[in-house]
C-alpha cells in the first residue's frame, strides 16, 4: 500500500467536509474517486497533500504517518498533487514552471524533454509567461510540472479539465503506461467518468464527505449505464 | 431607509453629546468627524473599489486651502465648505483619470508623489499660498454657542451626511459595481461595468469626501499650512481605514476615532510615568510613538480584518452561542 | 553649458544613491510581493549599528560589515517575528504592519541615540575632480556606481541563473503551489527579507553621507525618492531601478538648478506621471498579462 | 474660558494657578525630522524650573511645565495646544516653537486670552500687539539679524562679492530683507534658496561658486549650514561664511560634521546668548551648574543655553507679576519690561512692541572654538540704523534666580 | 453575428488568421479545436478585449466595434473559461452584478425608494436564477468556498440575468458531472430560438447534442465547419482534435 487513509476527518470550519474516510491505494495502481459537486473530492486531495490538517485520522504514505511532515517535503518523498484549477504560476515562464517541478532532480533535463514531447504546445511556447497560455495549455503545464518530479504517487484533481479529447486520451494512456512500466500509483479525481474508469484499477464513490467503495465494474455500470 | 434612520439617530446623538462634552472633548469630536469624512471616502476608494491612495492628505490640503481662500472673500462657512467639495471633486476627477490606468504599487507610487508635490506648490507659489506659514481661515463664530461645540456640530453634521450618502452608495448597484471592478476587471467589464469610469467615479467621490475633511480641518484649526498635510497624514489615513476594517464604513469610523483617541490615550498613559531627566528627554515623544507603532502591529496581527472585522466576528459568535 | 554639465554630474551622483536604495525595494518586491515601507527605517537602524562599530573601532569597513550583517539580521527578525504572521490575503495589512514598524524603529532609535544628527564618514574622498573648471564626479561617487553595479549584477545572477532565485520568485507569487512543488516558502521569504534588508543597509551606508547625516529619519526622503525611482523603472526590474534612479536624479538636479529646489517634488510627480501614463507598469515592465 | 479669582482677591484670570502651583505648557517637536536640536530646548527649560522649584518656587508656587510633542506638524500643534488650554488648563503657553506651527494657534490663544510668551522663532509675526495682544516673541527677529550680518559685511568685508543662501520661507525672506536693507538691494549678486525636503544643495552652491561669491550669508537651519559647507568644500568653493543665529551653533554643527568640523574654521555667526563653550562667562557657568544637576547627560550646547534662558526670563516675568498672579498681571509685567539677564542685547517689550531681543553679538570660530568678538549691535526691523549697544549685562543673581 | 477575415497576432505567434464565420440567429454554433487553437481569443475579439489586426465584424447587420462594458447593452453576454467570479462577493451578489439596475446615480446616493425597489427586483430575479440551477443553498457563500461546478453555474447565472440575445459560453461544461452536463444541454436547448449561442467546449457529447453548426479551429484557422455529424466524421478533425479514443 502506498497510501492508506484511516478514519480521516477534515474540513474548513465547524462542520467537517470529510467524514471518517478509509481508503487504500495499492502500489502501482490507479484509484479513481467519483462523486457529485461538493462531495469533498478536492478537499480529500488537499488533505492528503498536507494543505489541510485532518481533525482526526491518519494518512500513511509508504507506511509512514504523514502527520507533522511539512508540505514541501512530500514531493521529494514521491507524492505530487496537480491542483484543481491548474495552479500554474502565471508570472513565471513555461520552462521555469517546469524546472520548478524537478529542481532537485539530476535527470530533470531529460524529463523536461519528455514532457515537451508529450505536450508539444508547451514546447512551442516554452519561453512564454504562464499568463499568456490558453486554458488547456495551462492544464498541460500543471500536469507536466507534476511529472517533472517523477512521483511515485500522483494526485490528480480533474486533469481533463479544459483539455481537448485527444489530449485527455493521451494523458490517460500515459498514466496507464507509467503505472505499468514505472509502478506509478495514481489517485484520480475526475468528472469525466468514462475516461477515468477506462484506466482505473479501483473506483470509489464519494458523496457528502463519505466514501462508498465499489468495484470499478459496478461503478462503470452506475456511471456509464452500460 | 435604514440608513436614513441611522443617520437621524446619529445626528440626534451628536447634538446631545456636544451639549455634555467639555470644549476640548468637543474639539476632539470635531476632529474625529473631519477625519471620518476622509477615511470614509478612502474606504470607498480602497475598500470598495480596490484602488490604493497614499495621496489623500494632498486632497485634504486642496479642500483646506479652498476654504481659506473662500472665507477670505465672503465669510460664509457653508458656502465655503461646499466650494471646497466642488474644487476637490474636480481635482479628484483629474487625478482619478490618471489613476484609473494604474494598479497596485504603481498607483501607490503615483499618489505618494502627489502627496509630496501638493504641499510644495504652496512654497513654489508663495505669494499666493504664503509658503510654510500658510493662511488664516476667517471665521465668525455664532454668539450663542461655545466655539468648540459649534465646531463639533458643524463637523459632526457633515460627517453624518457623508456617512449617510456613502452608506446608500455602497449598498446600491454602484457599490456593487465598484466591488466588481475591484475583484475582477475583465469579468466586471463583461457584465457591463465600465471599468475606468467606475474607477474615476470612486476616485471623485472619495476626493470630494477628503476635500470636505480637509475643509473641516481648516475650519477647526482656523488656519491652513502645508505642514499640516504631510505624507504622514496620508499614511495615517490609510492606516486608520485598514486598522478600522477596510471592508465597511463602520471601519472608517473606528479608524477616525483611533486617529484621535489613540495618541491621547497613550499620552495619558506615559504622562503618569516619573522618569529621570536623562531618560525623560529621550523617551518623551518617542515612547508614545513606539507604543503607537507596536499597537498598530499587534492589531494587524490579532485582527487581520481590522477592528470592525473583529467586532463582527465576536458578535457572530455571541449570536451562535445560545443555539449550539 | 558648464552649468548643464555640472548639474548632469550632480544628478548622476545623486541618482546613483537613489538607484542603490531602489534596488533594495525591487528585491523585496520580487521576493515577497510587498512594498516594504519599513525598508528605510530598517536601513537606518543598520546604519546606526555601523556608526556604533565605526565609533568604537575607527574602521569604516568594519562598520560597513556591521551594517550589512545587522541589516540582514533585522530583515530576518522582521520576517520571522512579524511579517510571517500577517495575513497574506490582505496585502494592505502588510503595508500597515510595515508602517507600524517604521514608527517603532524610529522611536526606538530616538530613545537609544537621541534625535541629533551623527556624522557618517566615507571611505573615499567626496571632493569632486575638477576638469576644465567643471567639478565632475568624486572618488566616492565612483565607489557608489561600482557598488550599485555590483548589486545589480548579483541580483541578475541570483534571479536568472540560480535555482534559489527561481524558488524565491515562485514562493513570492504562489506560496501554496510552491510548497506543493517542494519549495521551502518560509525559508525563501526569510532569505528574501534578509537579502533585501542587507541591500537596503548597504544603500543607506551609501546614501547617508550625502545627506544631512545619521538620524532616525535619515531615510524618509530617500525612501520616497527611491520608491518613485523604482516605480518609474518598473518594480520588478533591477535594471529598471538603476535607470529610474539615474533618471530621477537627473530630472531633480536640472529642475533644482534651473527652476528652484522647491519645485523638485512637483517635478518628481510630473516625471512619474509622464512615465506611468505611457507605461503603466514602469519603463522596464514585463509583458502585459493576458486578460481572459 | 472662565476666569477665576485669585486667592489674594485681585480681579483677573488665574486659570492654572493655585497657591502652590503654576501650570504652563509648550509645544515642541520632540519627534520627527525636525526634532534634531529643537527637542533639547524644552528639557533645558524644565531643568531650570526644577532648579527654581527646588529653591521654593516663585512666590511659593512650583512651576509645572507640560511639554507636548507636535512633531513640527501644525495640525498636531492645534490639538496639543487646545489640550493644554482647554483640558490641562495651563496658565500660559511658553516658548511654543516654530513659525508655521505657532502661527496656527495665535487666534485660538487670543480667543481664550491665554498669555503666549516668548515664542521660539524669529518671525516678525509675534510682534502684532494690536492684533495679538497676548503674544510675545523671544528670538532676535530674522530681519534684525540680517541687518546686523549685513552691517558686519559692510564694515569688515567691503568690496567683496556677497551671495545669500536661505530657507525658502519667512526665515530666509526676512533675513535677506535685513541684509539688503544694509547693503542695498543690488549688492547681493546671487540669491539661492533651499527647502528642507530637498537635501541636494549642490545646484545652489554650484551657482554661487560660478557667480564668484566671496562672502555667503546663510539663513539656514543647522543641518543645512553643515550641508552647504560640506558641499562647498567638495566643489573646492571656499567663501567667507556669515551665518544666522539659528544655524551657527558651533557644538551642534561640529557634531554633525564630525571629521569635517575644521570646515567651520573662520565662520562668522551671531548670537545673543552666551556661548556654551565659554565657561568664563558667568551666565554660562551658572547655567552649566543647573544643567548638570537637572538635565543629566544632555549635551550642553546652544539649545540648552537657549532653553535655560527662556526659563530664567519666564521666572523673571512671574516675579514681576507679583504674588497675586493673573494672566492680566503677567502680560502687564512683560509689557513693563525692564528685564535684564543672560542676553547681550536688550529685550524690546513694551505696550507697542512685542518682539523679543533686539540685537546680537558677532561670533567667529577660531581654533575650533566659537568666540564672541566686537560690540553688541542693536537695531529694529525697519529702516533704523544698526547701533552699538553699550550697556553691560548684570552678573547672575545668587542661585541664578531673579528676585 | 458575422466575422470576416479576423486575424490576431501576439508578437510572432499567429493566434487567429483569416477567420470568417457566421452565427445564424437563434442557432447554437459550436466552436471546437485543439488547445491553443484560438477559441478563447476569438471570444476576446468579439468582446473587444483584443483588437484584431485585420478583419471586421457585424452584429445584427450593423458593424461591431465592441467595447467590453457596452456588450450587455447590445445584448451580448459571455462566460469566462475557468470560473471568473468576483471573489469578494457572495454568490447572490455575483449574479446581481450581472444585471444593470434602473436607478440612477442620485437616487442611489440619496437612497431613494426607487433605488431600493430596483435592488429588490434584482435580488429576486438573481435568487430565482440560483434556484433554477439548484444552487440556492450557496447564495451566501463566497466563490473561494464553492465547488468548481457550482462556481461555473453561478457564472452562467450571472450571464443569463441580463437576458442576452447572444450568449458566448467558454467551456461551460468544465468540471461538471455527466448528469449536470445533461441539464446544461437542456438549458441551452431552451435558449435556442430566442438567443444565439456560441459554444466553446471540449466535451464532444454536449457539442454534438446541442449544436446546429460546428466550426473547427486549428492553429488559428478554420479547418472545417458544418453540421455536427459531418464534423465528427471529418478525418482532419479527428486527427487534429478528437484523437483515436473519440
Ligand atoms: N475554503 C473553503 N472554506 C469553506 N468551505 C469550503 C472551502 N472549500 C470548499 N468548501 C466546501 O467544502 C465542500 C466540499 O468542496 P470540494 O471542493 O472538496 O468538493 P468537490 O467534491 O471537489 O466538488 P467539485 O467536483 O465541484 O470540484 C463544499 O461544500 C464546499 O463549499
Ligand atoms: N495575450 C496573449 N499573449 C500571448 N499569447 C497569447 C495571448 N493570448 C493567447 N495567446 C496564445 O494564443 C493561442 C490561442 O489561445 P486561446 O486562449 O485562444 O486558445 P483556446 O483555443 O481557447 O485554447 P483552450 O482550449 O486551451 O482554451 C495560445 O497558444 C495562447 O498561448
Ligand atoms: Mg473539486
Ligand atoms: Mg480557451
Amino acid at each position: 500500500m502506498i497510501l492508506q487513509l484511516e478514519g480521516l476527518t477534515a474540513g474548513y470550519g465547524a462542520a467537517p467536509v470529510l467524514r471518517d474516510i478509509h481508503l487504500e491505494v495499492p502500489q502501482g495502481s490507479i484509484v479513481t474517486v467519483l462523486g457529485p459537486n461538493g462531495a469533498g473530492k478536492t478537499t480529500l486531495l488537499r488533505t492528503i497533500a498536507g494543505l489541510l490538517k485532518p481533525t482526526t485520522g491518519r494518512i500513511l504514505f509508504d507506511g509512514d504517518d504523514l502527520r507533522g511532515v511539512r508540505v514541501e517535503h512530500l514531493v521529494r518523498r514521491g507524492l505530487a498533487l496537480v491542483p484543481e484549477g491548474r495552479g500554474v504560476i502565471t508570472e513565471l515562464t513555461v520552462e521555469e514552471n517546469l524546472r520548478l517541478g524537478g529542481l532537485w532532480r539530476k535527470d530533470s533535463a531529460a524529463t523536461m524533454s519528455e514532457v515537451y514531447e508529450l505536450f508539444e504546445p508547451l514546447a512551442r511556447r516554452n519561453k512564454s509567461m504562464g499568463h499568456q497560455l490558453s486554458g488547456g495549455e495551462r492544464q498541460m503545464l500543471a500536469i507536466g510540472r507534476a511529472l517533472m518530479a517523477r512521483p511515485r504517487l500522483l494526485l490528480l484533481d480533474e486533469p481533463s479539465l479544459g483539455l481537448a479529447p485527444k489530449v485527455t486520451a493521451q494523458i490517460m494512456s500515459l498514466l496507464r503506461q507509467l503505472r505499468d512500466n514505472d509502478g506509478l500509483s495514481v489517485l484520480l479525481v475526475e468528472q469525466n467518468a468514462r475516461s477515468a474508469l477506462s484506466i482505473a484499477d479501483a473506483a470509489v464513490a464519494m458523496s457528502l464527505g463519505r466514501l462508498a467503495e465499489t468495484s470499478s465494474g459496478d461503478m462503470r455500470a452506475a456511471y456509464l449505464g452500460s | 431607509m435604514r440608513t436614513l434612520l441611522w443617520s437621524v439617530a446619529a445626528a440626534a446623538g451628536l447634538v446631545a453629546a456636544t451639549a455634555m462634552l467639555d470644549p476640548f472633548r468637543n474639539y476632539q469630536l470635531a476632529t474625529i468627524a473631519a477625519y471620518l469624512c476622509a477615511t470614509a471616502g478612502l474606504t470607498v476608494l480602497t475598500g470598495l473599489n480596490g484602488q490604493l491612495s497614499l495621496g489623500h492628505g494632498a486632497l485634504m490640503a486642496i479642500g483646506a486651502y479652498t476654504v481659506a481662500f473662500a472665507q477670505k472673500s465672503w465669510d460664509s462657512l457653508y458656502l465655503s465648505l461646499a466650494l471646497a467639495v466642488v474644487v476637490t471633486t474636480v481635482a479628484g476627477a483629474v487625478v482619478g483619470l490618471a489613476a484609473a490606468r494604474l494598479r497596485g504599487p504603481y498607483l501607490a507610487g503615483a499618489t505618494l508623489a502627489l502627496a509630496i508635490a501638493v504641499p510644495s506648490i504652496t512654497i513654489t507659489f508663495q505669494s499666493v499660498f504664503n509658503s510654510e506659514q500658510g493662511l488664516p481661515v476667517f471665521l465668525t463664530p455664532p454668539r450663542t454657542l461655545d466655539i468648540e461645540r459649534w465646531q463639533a456640530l458643524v463637523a459632526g453634521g457633515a460627517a453624518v451626511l457623508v456617512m449617510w450618502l456613502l452608506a446608500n452608495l455602497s449598498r446600491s448597484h454602484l457599490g456593487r459595481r465598484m466591488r466588481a471592478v475591484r475583484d475582477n476587471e475583465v469579468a466586471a467589464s463583461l457584465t457591463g461595468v465600465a471599468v475606468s469610469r467606475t474607477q474615476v467615479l470612486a476616485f471623485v467621490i472619495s476626493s470630494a469626501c477628503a476635500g470636505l475633511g480637509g475643509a473641516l480641518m481648516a475650519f477647526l484649526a482656523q488656519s491652513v499650512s502645508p505642514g499640516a498635510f504631510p505624507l504622514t497624514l496620508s499614511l495615517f489615513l490609510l492606516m486608520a481605514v485598514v486598522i478600522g476594517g477596510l471592508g465597511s464604513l463602520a471601519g472608517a469610523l473606528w479608524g477616525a476615532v483611533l486617529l484621535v483617541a489613540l495618541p491621547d490615550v497613550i499620552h495619558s498613559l506615559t504622562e503618569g510615568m516619573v522618569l529621570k531627566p536623562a531618560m525623560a528627554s529621550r523617551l518623551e515623544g518617542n515612547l508614545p510613538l513606539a507604543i503607537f507603532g507596536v499597537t498598530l502591529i499587534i492589531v494587524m496581527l490579532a485582527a487581520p480584518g481590522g477592528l470592525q472585522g473583529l467586532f463582527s466576528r465576536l458578535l457572530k459568535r455571541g449570536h451562535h452561542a445560545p443555539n449550539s | 553649458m558648464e552649468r548643464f554639465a555640472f548639474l548632469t554630474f550632480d544628478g548622476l551622483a545623486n541618482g546613483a544613491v537613489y538607484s542603490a536604495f531602489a534596488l533594495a525595494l525591487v528585491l523585496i518586491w520580487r521576493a515577497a510581493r510587498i512594498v516594504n515601507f519599513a525598508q528605510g527605517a530598517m536601513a537606518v537602524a543598520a546604519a546606526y549599528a555601523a556608526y556604533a562599530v565605526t565609533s568604537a573601532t575607527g574602521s569604516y569597513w568594519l562598520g560597513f560589515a556591521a551594517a550589512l550583517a545587522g541589516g540582514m539580521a533585522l530583515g530576518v527578525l522582521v520576517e520571522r517575528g512579524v511579517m510571517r504572521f500577517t495575513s497574506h490575503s490582505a496585502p494592505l495589512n502588510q503595508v500597515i504592519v510595515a508602517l507600524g514598524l517604521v514608527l517603532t524603529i524610529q522611536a526606538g532609535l530616538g530613545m537609544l541615540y537621541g534625535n541629533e544628527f551623527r556624522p557618517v564618514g566615507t571611505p573615499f574622498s567626496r571632493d569632486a575632480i575638477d576638469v576644465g573648471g567643471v567639478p565632475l564626479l568624486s572618488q566616492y561617487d565612483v565607489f557608489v556606481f561600482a557598488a550599485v553595479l555590483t548589486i545589480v549584477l548579483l541580483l541578475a545572477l541570483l534571479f536568472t541563473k540560480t535555482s534559489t532565485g527561481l524558488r524565491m520568485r515562485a514562493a513570492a507569487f504562489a506560496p501554496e503551489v510552491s510548497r506543493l512543488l517542494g519549495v521551502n516558502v518560509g525559508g525563501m521569504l526569510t532569505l528574501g527579507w534578509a537579502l533585501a534588508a542587507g541591500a537596503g543597509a548597504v544603500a543607506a551606508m551609501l546614501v547617508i553621507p550625502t545627506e544631512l547625516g545619521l538620524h532616525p529619519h535619515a531615510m524618509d526622503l530617500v525612501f520616497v525618492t527611491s520608491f518613485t525611482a523604482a516605480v518609474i523603472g518598473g518594480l520588478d526590474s533591477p535594471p529598471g531601478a538603476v535607470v529610474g534612479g539615474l533618471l530621477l536624479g537627473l530630472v531633480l538636479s536640472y529642475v533644482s538648478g534651473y527652476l528652484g529646489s522647491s519645485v523638485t517634488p512637483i517635478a518628481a510627480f510630473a516625471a512619474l506621471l509622464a512615465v506611468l501614463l505611457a507605461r503603466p507598469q514602469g519603463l522596464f515592465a514585463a509583458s502585459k498579462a493576458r486578460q481572459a | 474660558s472662565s476666569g477665576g479669582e485669585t486667592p489674594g482677591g485681585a480681579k483677573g484670570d488665574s486659570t492654572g494657578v493655585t497657591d502652590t502651583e503654576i501650570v504652563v505648557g509648550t509645544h515642541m517637536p520632540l519627534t520627527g525630522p525636525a526634532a534634531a536640536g529643537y527637542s533639547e530646548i524644552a528639557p533645558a527649560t524644565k531643568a531650570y524650573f526644577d532648579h527654581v522649584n527646588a529653591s521654593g518656587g516663585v512666590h511659593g508656587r512650583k512651576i509645572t511645565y507640560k511639554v507636548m510633542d507636535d512633531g513640527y506638524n501644525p495640525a498636531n500643534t492645534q490639538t496639543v495646544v487646545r489640550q493644554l488650554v482647554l483640558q490641562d488648563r495651563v496658565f500660559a503657553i511658553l516658548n511654543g516653537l516654530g513659525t508655521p506651527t505657532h502661527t496656527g494657534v495665535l487666534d485660538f490663544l487670543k480667543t481664550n486670552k491665554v498669555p503666549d510668551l516668548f515664542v521660539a522663532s524669529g518671525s516678525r509675526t509675534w510682534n502684532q500687539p494690536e492684533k495679538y495682544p497676548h503674544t510675545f516673541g523671544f528670538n532676535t527677529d530674522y530681519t534684525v539679524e540680517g541687518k546686523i550680518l549685513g552691517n558686519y559685511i559692510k564694515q569688515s568685508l567691503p568690496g567683496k562679492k556677497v551671495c545669500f543662501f536661505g530657507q525658502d520661507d519667512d526665515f530666509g525672506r526676512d533675513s535677506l530683507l535685513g541684509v539688503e536693507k544694509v547693503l542695498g538691494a543690488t549688492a547681493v549678486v546671487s540669491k539661492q534658496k533651499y527647502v528642507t525636503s530637498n537635501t541636494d544643495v549642490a545646484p545652489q552652491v554650484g551657482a554661487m561658486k560660478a557667480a564668484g561669491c566671496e562672502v555667503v550669508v546663510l539663513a539656514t537651519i543647522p543641518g543645512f549650514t553643515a550641508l552647504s559647507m560640506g558641499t562647498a568644500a567638495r566643489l573646492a568653493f571656499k567663501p567667507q561664511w556669515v551665518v544666522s543665529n539659528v544655524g551657527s551653533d558651533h557644538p551642534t554643527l561640529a557634531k554633525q560634521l564630525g571629521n569635517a568640523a575644521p570646515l567651520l574654521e573662520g565662520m562668522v555667526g551671531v548670537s545673543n546668548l552666551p556661548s556654551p563653550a565659554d565657561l568664563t562667562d558667568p551666565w554660562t557657568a551658572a547655567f552649566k551648574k543647573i544643567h548638570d544637576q537637572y538635565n543629566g547627560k544632555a549635551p550642553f550646547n546652544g539649545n540648552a543655553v537657549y532653553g535655560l534662558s527662556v526659563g530664567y526670563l519666564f521666572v523673571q516675568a512671574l516675579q514681576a507679576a507679583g504674588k497675586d498672579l493673573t494672566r492680566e498681571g503677567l502680560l502687564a509685567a512683560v509689557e513693563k519690561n525692564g528685564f535684564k539677564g543672560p542676553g547681550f542685547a536688550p529685550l524690546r517689550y513694551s505696550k507697542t512692541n512685542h518682539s523679543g531681543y533686539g540685537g546680537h553679538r558677532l561670533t567667529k570660530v577660531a581654533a575650533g572654538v566659537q568666540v564672541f568678538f566686537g560690540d553688541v549691535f542693536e537695531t529694529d526691523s525697519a529702516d533704523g540704523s544698526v547701533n552699538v549697544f553699550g550697556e553691560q549685562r548684570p552678573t547672575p543673581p545668587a542661585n541664578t534666580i531673579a528676585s | 453575428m458575422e466575422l470576416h477575415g479576423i486575424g490576431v497576432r501576439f508578437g510572432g505567434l499567429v493566434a487567429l488568421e483569416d477567420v470568417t464565420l457566421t452565427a445564424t440567429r437563434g442557432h447554437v454554433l459550436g466552436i471546437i479545436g485543439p488547445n491553443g487553437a484560438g477559441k478563447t481569443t476569438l471570444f476576446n475579439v468579439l468582446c473587444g478585449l483584443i483588437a484584431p489586426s485585420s478583419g471586421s465584424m457585424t452584429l445584427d447587420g450593423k458593424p461591431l466595434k465592441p467595447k467590453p462594458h457596452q456588450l450587455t447593452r447590445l445584448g451580448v453576454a459571455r462566460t469566462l473559461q475557468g470560473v471568473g467570479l468576483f471573489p469578494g462577493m457572495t454568490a447572490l451578489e455575483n449574479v446581481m452584478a450581472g444585471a444593470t439596475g434602473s436607478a440612477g446615480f442620485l437616487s442611489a446616493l440619496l437612497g431613494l425608494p426607487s433605488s431600493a425597489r430596483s435592488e429588490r427586483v434584482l435580488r429576486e430575479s438573481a435568487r430565482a436564477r440560483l434556484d433554477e440551477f439548484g444552487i440556492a443553498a450557496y447564495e451566501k457563500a463566497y466563490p473561494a468556498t464553492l465547488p468548481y461546478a457550482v462556481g461555473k453555474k453561478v457564472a452562467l447565472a450571472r450571464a443569463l440575468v441580463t437576458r442576452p440575445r447572444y450568449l458566448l459560453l467558454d467551456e461551460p461544461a468544465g468540471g461538471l458531472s455527466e448528469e449536470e452536463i445533461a441539464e446544461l444541454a437542456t438549458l441551452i436547448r431552451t435558449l435556442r430560438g430566442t438567443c444565439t449561442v456560441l459554444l466553446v467546449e471540449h466535451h464532444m457529447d454536449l457539442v454534438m447534442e446541442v449544436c446546429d453548426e460546428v466550426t473547427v479551429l486549428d492553429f488559428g484557422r478554420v479547418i472545417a465547419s458544418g453540421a455536427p455529424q459531418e464534423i465528427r466524421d471529418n478525418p482532419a478533425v479527428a486527427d487534429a482534435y478528437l484523437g483515436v479514443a473519440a
Side-chain angles (χ1 to χ4, degrees), chain A residues 49-110:
Chain A
L51 295 173
L52 211 66
K53 279 221 164 50
T55 38
T56 57
R58 293 202 305 165
I59 304 169
L60 299 178
F61 179 62
D62 267 347
D64 299 338
D65 193 339
L66 286 187
R67 188 176 319 160
V69 177
R70 304 238 300 259
V71 177
E72 52 262 42
H73 292 160
L74 287 176
V75 67
R76 284 182 203 211
R77 290 195 177 198
L79 189 155
L81 166 70
V82 177
E84 183 179 37
R86 305 181 187 105
V88 162
I89 302 181
T90 53
E91 289 86 352
L92 300 181
T93 64
V94 170
E95 186 139 335
E96 285 169 336
N97 265 289
L98 288 179
R99 250 177 55 201
L100 209 50
L103 266 183
W104 73 97
R105 294 194 69 96
K106 295 220 171 56
D107 58 354
S108 68

Side-chain angles (χ1 to χ4, degrees), chain D residues 47 76 84 96 98-99 119 137 144 208 219 226 251 283 296 305 324 329 347 386:
Chain D
N76 293 348
L84 287 170
T99 309
V119 182
V144 168
M208 292 192 289
W283 285 94
V305 172
D324 298 333
L347 285 158
V386 179

Side-chain angles (χ1 to χ4, degrees), chain A residues 3 5 41 83 86 98 136 141 171 183 217 222-223:
Chain A
L3 182 73
L5 308 180
K41 306 181 295 295
R86 305 181 187 105
L98 288 179
L141 181 54
I171 290 174
Y223 273 85

Side-chain angles (χ1 to χ4, degrees), chain A residues 134-136, chain C residues 290, chain E residues 39-41 81 170-171 200 202:
Chain A
S134 80
Chain C
R290 126 174 223 186
Chain E
K39 305 176 296 293
T40 301
T41 304
Q81 191 173 5
D170 200 346
E171 273 188 48
V200 167
H202 290 302

Side-chain angles (χ1 to χ4, degrees), chain D residues 144-160 162 178-179 182-183 214-217 239-244 266-270 360-365 371-375 377 379 386-387:
Chain D
V144 168
E145 195 171 283
K147 282 171 77 178
I148 292 171
L149 293 175
N151 189 55
Y152 165 75
I153 294 168
K154 192 169 166 184
Q155 290 182 347
S156 309
L157 303 164
K160 302 253 179 184
V162 180
V179 172
V182 173
L183 293 180
E214 296 159 292
V215 177
V216 174
V217 180
Q240 170 65 52
W241 301 104
V242 177
V243 188
S244 86
M267 175 187 84
V268 170
V270 281
H360 271 308
R361 201 171 166 201
L362 291 155
T363 66
K364 187 166 212 147
V365 179
V371 290
F372 284 101
F373 71 96
D375 297 312
F377 290 98
T379 185
V386 179
N387 308 315

Side-chain angles (χ1 to χ4, degrees), chain B residues 121-143:
Chain B
I121 288 176
T122 62
I123 298 173
T124 307
F125 303 100
Q126 44 184 271
S127 55
V128 186
F129 300 102
N130 196 22
S131 195
E132 303 264 7
Q133 211 168 340
L135 303 168
V137 174
F138 299 104
L139 285 184
T140 332
R143 269 167 231 283

Side-chain angles (χ1 to χ4, degrees), chain A residues 136-212:
Chain A
E137 288 166 344
R138 291 184 200 196
Q139 185 72 343
M140 294 177 203
L141 181 54
I143 297 170
R145 195 179 55 191
L147 294 177
M148 287 293 293
R150 295 203 167 275
R152 289 180 298 124
L153 174 64
L154 188 57
L155 310 176
L156 289 166
D157 200 347
E158 305 211 13
S160 76
L161 192 69
L163 290 177
K166 184 177 164 185
V167 182
T168 308
Q170 266 174 336
I171 290 174
M172 293 304 159
S173 74
L174 172 80
L175 292 180
R176 189 182 290 148
Q177 199 185 320
L178 288 174
R179 173 194 61 187
D180 296 344
N181 300 348
D182 304 356
L184 174 72
S185 317
V186 180
L187 186 57
L188 174 66
V189 164
E190 255 298 350
Q191 289 292 2
N192 191 338
R194 185 186 322 217
S195 55
L197 289 174
S198 71
I199 60 162
D201 300 307
V204 287
M206 190 169 190
S207 78
L208 295 175
R210 290 183 197 279
L211 285 187

Side-chain angles (χ1 to χ4, degrees), chain A residues 37 84 124 161-162 164 166, chain E residues 35 149 171 175 180 202 239 241:
Chain A
N37 294 133
E84 183 179 37
R124 246 183 292 137
L161 192 69
K166 184 177 164 185
Chain E
N35 296 118
E171 273 188 48
E180 288 160 331
H202 290 302
D239 181 51
Y241 181 62

